[in-house]
Amino acid sequence: MYTQSSVPAMRTVDIDGLPVGDGHPTRVMSVLNMSSNSGYKPSVYLDPAEAAEAIENTLVPAGADIVDVGLQSANPKYESKPVEKELDRLEEVAPLVDELDADVPLSLETRYAEVAEAAIGYGFDLINDVCGFADPEMKSVVEAHDMPVVKMASPPDLAAPGALKTMDELFEALQRDGFTDQTIIDPAFGGWYDGKEFADNWELFRRLREFRAFGRPMLTATNREDFLGDLAGRPETADQLAVSLAAATMEAERGSHIIRTHDTKETHDVVKVADALGDERTVRAETDPGPTVAELTDVTVREVERNQSLGETLAGETGDGATLTFLLGDLAEDEAASVRAVAEVVDVVLVEKSSGALYLGGSAAAVKVVADSLAEDGHRELAGTLRESLSRRV
C-alpha cells in the first residue's frame, strides 16, 4: 500500500491564501509604519484612512504582496513602548483593516502576545514577532488561531529585539521554544545593539544559505541598512536604494522567500528578475502529487553541518554532502526505505531532519547511483527528479 508522510521537503506557509516557500515566487513585504518614531519617514502613515489610501494607490500597484504595519520601531535608539501603549495604538489604527479594499494580506509587527491576539481579532493576517517568542504566551496564541507568524532571531528579552551577534547565537535563538506549523524565520539583520557591528552582518549575509537547514520559509530585512551603505560609501539612508536592491537580488538567490522593504516598486522588479534568472532548481511544491523535492544550490560544508545539527545523520560524512544537495519530503514508506538503503553503500550524506524530511547530498556520480537504484526499485518519479537536476549540473 502507498503510504505518504505528511512532511514536505520545505514547509509552505499560507498567509490568507498567499503561499510562501520553495516552489513559489519571492514575495515583497512593504513597510507601513504607523508610529512617529520611525527612522524612515517616507514609510510613515499615522492616519488609518491615509494608510489605506497609500496601500491601495501606491503599495499594491507597485507590487506589494504583503503590507507590514508597525506600531513602534524595533530600533534600539528608540525607547521600547510597553504593551499598554501598543494596545492603545492598535485600537487607533485597526480601522485600517475595514477601510482597505485592496486584496493584500496585512501583517502586524509586535513583540507582545496580547497585542498579537487583539490584532488577530481585528482581522490581521500575519504576526511579525520581532522578539522571537520572548513573550512566553506568543507561541500558544498564534498556534491557537493557526496564525502565520514571523519569528525573528532574538534573545528572550522583550526590550532587546534581535540583540544577537554570532551565527550560533542566531540559530540557538530560532531553535529556542521551537516553531508552529505556520512559522517563518527571520535571521535578524541590522545594528540592533552596540555589540553588533557591520562585519557581523556581512558574515550573516555571506552565510545566509545556512538558514535553509530549518526547512522553513525565510524573511529577510536589509533594506536601507547602514551595513550595506558602508560597503559603497553611502552612510545616509536616503542614498542606500542601490545597495539595498543589490542585496535583495542575492537574498532571493540565497533562500529568502519574503523580502521586507521600504522601496516596493524597485524591490518588486528586482525579485522578478532574480526569480526568472536565478539558479534553475528542481522544485516540486507540496501542492503537487508525489514526493516533494527541493534542490539546494551552492551548499557549503558549514551548511551540511547545520543540517546535521538539526537532524540525525543516517549515512555519510559531512564532506560528502556539499556538491549536489536535496531536501526530500512526502515520501512513501518504500521510497524512504530505498533512499536509506542505497545511502548505506554510496558516498552520500543522508540526514533525517526533525521534521521527518530527508536531506540528501553527494557528488554527481553518487547522486546518479542513488537515482539509478531508485529507478530499479520502481520509484521512477523520484529518480526522474534527481536525474533532471543531474542533466543540468553535469
Side-chain angles (χ1 to χ4, degrees), residues 101-133:
D101 291 328
D103 185 19
V104 61
L106 289 180
S107 167
L108 194 283
E109 180 186 290
T110 186
R111 65 195 73 184
Y112 301 118
E114 191 174 352
V115 175
E117 187 150 38
I120 295 168
Y122 283 123
F124 282 84
D125 306 296
L126 171 69
I127 299 300
N128 184 6
D129 183 358
V130 294
C131 283
F133 300 171

Side-chain angles (χ1 to χ4, degrees), residues 36-356:
S36 58
N37 66 348
S38 169
Y40 191 66
K41 299 306 179 185
S43 296
V44 175
Y45 294 88
L46 300 181
D47 179 72
E50 292 179 357
E53 183 179 356
I55 293 170
E56 292 171 358
N57 298 335
T58 304
L59 299 182
V60 171
D65 297 303
I66 307 163
V67 175
D68 189 37
V69 176
L71 304 177
Q72 68 166 303
S73 175
N75 193 311
K77 72 180 181 181
Y78 298 107
E79 184 178 354
S80 175
K81 294 180 180 179
V83 62
E84 293 81 13
K85 291 289 187 182
E86 269 205 12
L87 284 169
D88 290 343
R89 184 56 183 151
L90 176 61
E91 185 177 358
E92 294 170 356
V93 308
L96 166 67
V97 177
D98 294 326
E99 293 188 26
L100 187 63
D101 291 328
D103 185 19
V104 61
L106 289 180
S107 167
L108 194 283
E109 180 186 290
T110 186
R111 65 195 73 184
Y112 301 118
E114 191 174 352
V115 175
E117 187 150 38
I120 295 168
Y122 283 123
F124 282 84
D125 306 296
L126 171 69
I127 299 300
N128 184 6
D129 183 358
V130 294
C131 283
F133 300 171
D135 185 324
E137 301 300 320
M138 179 66 82
K139 184 181 178 184
S140 60
V141 164
V142 293
E143 205 159 32
H145 294 278
D146 194 28
M147 186 70 169
V149 61
V150 177
K151 182 181 185 182
M152 191 171 86
S154 189
D157 182 350
L158 288 170
L164 300 168
K165 184 178 177 70
T166 69
M167 287 289 290
D168 287 341
E169 288 173 339
L170 295 170
F171 265 78
E172 289 168 6
L174 287 170
Q175 288 176 267
R176 188 189 68 242
D177 299 327
F179 307 100
T180 70
D181 288 342
Q182 291 272 70
T183 300
I184 298 163
I185 63 170
D186 177 351
F189 283 102
W192 300 120
Y193 74 118
D194 292 340
K196 191 168 187 176
E197 301 174 353
F198 291 167
D200 300 311
N201 283 286
W202 299 336
E203 177 74 359
L204 167 57
F205 202 104
R206 293 186 186 104
R207 298 173 61 180
L208 188 60
R209 289 185 180 92
E210 290 180 36
F211 289 89
R212 300 185 298 194
F214 284 106
R216 294 179 178 276
M218 176 166 61
L219 177 150
T220 49
T222 66
N223 184 250
R224 296 186 183 267
E225 287 284 353
D226 288 344
F227 78 87
L228 296 175
D230 183 76
L231 294 171
R234 305 292 184 191
E236 300 299 323
T237 301
D239 298 327
Q240 292 171 352
L241 174 59
V243 294
S244 299
L245 298 180
T249 304
M250 291 184 282
E251 288 162 48
E253 185 77 3
R254 296 180 185 187
S256 179
H257 300 93
I258 301 175
I259 295 181
R260 186 176 183 273
T261 181
H262 298 276
D263 303 297
T264 302
K265 181 179 179 180
E266 296 85 352
T267 306
H268 167 270
D269 293 353
V270 160
V271 300
K272 286 293 185 183
V273 174
D275 283 349
L277 300 182
D279 280 349
E280 186 179 2
R281 301 192 300 144
T282 301
V283 175
R284 181 179 290 110
E286 70 271 26
T287 52
D288 297 331
T292 60
V293 178
E295 181 186 349
L296 306 180
T297 55
D298 297 311
V299 175
T300 64
V301 169
R302 283 189 297 205
E303 185 175 347
V304 180
E305 291 172 341
R306 290 292 181 191
N307 277 275
Q308 290 177 311
S309 72
L310 296 176
E312 178 186 358
T313 301
L314 303 180
E317 302 294 332
T318 301
D320 295 330
T323 308
L324 288 174
T325 312
F326 304 87
L327 281 174
L328 312 177
D330 281 343
L331 300 180
E333 291 179 1
D334 54 348
E335 288 172 327
S338 290
V339 174
R340 293 188 185 98
V342 69
E344 292 179 359
V345 295
V346 180
D347 289 332
V348 295
V349 63
L350 184 67
V351 179
E352 184 168 359
K353 305 299 291 296
S354 57
S355 65

